[in-house]
Structure formats: C-alpha cells, structure tokens
C-alpha cells in the first residue's frame, strides 16, 4: 500500500460513482423487476440495493441505508421478498445494468479495451477495502464478479460506493445528525438532492423536513434563509474530510498511477452517461 492524497482518492471516487448510481434512475431496472412481478419504484429500489444482504427486514434496511424513513421501507420490506427472491433481484439488477450501460455508453465502449482496463483497476482498488463495520460493502463483496468487463466495472463501482457509504454513516453518527438532518444539511450545501427529490425518494414529509431544518437552526448550523452557517459549512466539510479519511485505503492500495488512470477512464464513461441523460436535470440543488 502507498500513501495517496485524500483529494486524489475523492476525485477517483467521484468519477466512478455516477455509473453505479444511474441504475436507480433507469427505466431498465423497472422493466426487469416488472418481469419479476415488482412494479412499485420504492420496492424496486429497496430490493435491488438490499438483495446482497439476503431476505432482510425493514430494520436492517433502515440501519444500512440510514436516510430513508423506516415507515416507507416497512411498506415494502420484507413483503417484497415474497414476490422476488434476493437472488432473483440480483439477477434482475445485473440484466438491467447490461441494458443500461449499452444504452448510455454504446456497444463500442462496452466492448472496448478501456472498459476492460477500468474494470481491472477498479477491482484492484476494491481489494484494499475492509469488511469490518461495513455491512453493505461486505454483502456485495461476497457476490461473484461478473465475467463481462462492463458488468465487472459496475460491480466494482458498487463495492467502492458502498464502502465509502458505510464509512460516511459512521461520520454522520459521530456528528450527531439524524437521517433527515443529514439530508437537509447536504441539500443546503448545494451538493445534495433538492428537497423535492430528497423527501419524495426517502419518504419524509414536508413537516418532517421543516422540523429537521429547525433542529439544525437550533444547533447554529442552518441560517433563517436556509443557507448553511459558517458552523454548518465547517460541519459538512468535517464530514467529508472524515469520510475521505475512512475511504482512502482502496485508492492507496491501487497506487497513484493506477488512481490517475482510473480517474481518467471513469471520467470519460461518466461524462458520456451524463450527456446521455443518465440523471434527472433537477436532481441536485438547494431548492
């Protein structure tokens, strides 16, 4: 393992993560799960992301996903497993990834040497991850690596995304931010989902969102106009710094040259996917 600046690790992660995340906004996932008998978009999300954990209940999903309302989860979990088994959900999501990446990137990119190279580098980075206290990463790490390079690349981005996400939850707990406060403060930073997307997708009401904002104001983290205060900005920076610190290991394992090359390759794939409309235009923003 080599030393590596945390900012380089963060840039590499940021270049890769959208390829993982775009699955949850794709019509391809919905079509595959509809074939399995699951048509509700929330049920699809919970089943697709939680499937590596096995047929778990709502409590486990709430604990590992963190910023979702337990009441929303409980409407669909564990009942969704009566319709689609975890293994069937895993198979469906991988079929959706295949269709998604071919649609967004094109068959030429999917079959390119650059895709195979990116998959190899990302999987190599994932070898530096650790299972301890990282349940979503650990569950995905127990899955077989797909043979096709583009599917292996998506699998590796998933490992790295969930590894970072598990560490981020540790930082949120240490900062004393509950699920809605975490979302609201991230939105106020300008780097999170808009309130519309955050509340609808995570199952929080407008009243719960406003109450979280009031708690943040009482702590001196949010101003009356909804902007972060200097203390709020400092807290969000400290959260990212701690998350970066907890997530540097896989990139240090890969090494400086490998990280630079993976960042370059991943950035190209992500740029193509975004240009192809991988995400809603109004997803990110303060309002």
């Amino acid at each position: 393992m080599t030393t590596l600046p945390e900012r380089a690790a963060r840039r590499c992660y940021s270049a890769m993560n959208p390829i993982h995340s775009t699955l949850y906004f794709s019509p391809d996932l919905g079509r595959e799960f509809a074939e399995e008998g699951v048509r509700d978009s929330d049920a699809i999300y919970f089943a697709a992301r939680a499937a590596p954990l096995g047929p778990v209940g709502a409590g486990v999903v709430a604990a590992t996903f963190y910023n979702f309302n337990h009441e929303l989860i409980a409407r669909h979990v564990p009942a969704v497993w009566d319709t689609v088994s975890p293994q069937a959900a895993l198979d469906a999501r991988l079929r959706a990834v295949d269709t998604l990446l071919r649609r967004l990137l094109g068959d030429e990119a999917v079959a390119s040497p650059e895709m195979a190279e990116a998959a190899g580098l990302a999987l190599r980075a994932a070898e530096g991850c650790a299972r301890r206290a990282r349940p979503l990463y650990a569950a995905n790490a127990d899955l077989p690596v797909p043979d096709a390079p583009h599917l292996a690349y998506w699998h590796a981005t998933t490992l790295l995304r969930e590894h970072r996400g598990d560490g981020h939850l540790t930082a949120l707990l240490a900062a004393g931010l509950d699920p809605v406060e975490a979302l609201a403060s991230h939105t106020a930073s300008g780097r999170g989902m808009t309130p519309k997307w955050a509340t609808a997708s995570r199952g929080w009401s407008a009243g719960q969102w406003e109450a979280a904002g009031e708690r943040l104001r009482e702590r001196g983290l949010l101003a009356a106009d909804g902007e972060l205060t200097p203390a709020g900005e400092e807290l969000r920076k400290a959260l990212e710094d701690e998350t970066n610190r907890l997530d540097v290991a896989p990139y240090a394992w890969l090494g400086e040259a490998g990280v630079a090359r993976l960042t370059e390759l991943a950035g190209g794939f992500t740029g193509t996917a975004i240009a192809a409309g991988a995400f809603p235009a109004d997803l990110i923003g303060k309002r």
Side-chain angles (χ1 to χ4, degrees), residues 12 101 145 149 166 204 243:
C12 190
L101 294 186
V145 177
D166 287 338
W204 304 107
T243 302

Side-chain angles (χ1 to χ4, degrees), residues 2-5 8 12 117 121 251-265:
T2 63
T3 59
L4 186 79
C12 190
E117 183 183 3
L121 289 168
Y251 307 96
W253 180 265
L254 181 59
E256 187 173 354
V259 165
R261 179 58 174 159
L262 180 54
T263 303
E264 177 187 8
L265 292 168

Side-chain angles (χ1 to χ4, degrees), residues 181-245:
E181 293 164 359
L183 284 170
S185 61
H186 194 208
T187 292
S189 75
R191 293 183 292 275
M193 291 185 293
T194 61
K196 179 188 80 170
W197 275 98
T199 54
S201 66
R202 269 52 180 167
W204 304 107
S205 67
Q208 289 168 320
W209 184 266
E210 287 301 319
E214 183 58 34
R215 294 194 296 274
L216 292 171
R217 284 187 285 273
E218 290 173 357
R219 290 179 60 180
L221 302 175
L222 198 66
D225 61 0
E227 297 291 324
L228 289 176
T229 64
E233 292 176 354
E234 182 178 346
L235 177 62
R236 288 302 317 185
K237 182 180 184 302
L239 279 169
E240 291 306 313
D241 288 346
E242 178 63 2
T243 302
N244 290 341
R245 185 187 70 81

Side-chain angles (χ1 to χ4, degrees), residues 12 19 54 59 94 96-97 117 129-130 168 216 220 242-244 255 268 274 286:
C12 190
I19 290 295
L94 206 57
V97 170
E117 183 183 3
C129 297
H168 187 59
L216 292 171
E242 178 63 2
T243 302
N244 290 341
I274 290 174
K286 295 183 180 182

Side-chain angles (χ1 to χ4, degrees), residues 23 29 32-33 36 47-54 81 84-97 139-140 142-144 146 154-155 158:
L23 176 67
L29 188 65
E32 290 295 342
F33 270 82
E36 300 293 333
R49 191 170 171 215
L53 295 165
W81 307 128
V84 60
S85 70
Q87 184 58 57
L90 290 171
D91 294 341
R93 83 174 188 178
L94 206 57
R95 291 194 302 271
V97 170
N140 280 278
D142 285 345
L143 301 177
W154 185 85
H155 175 74
T158 301

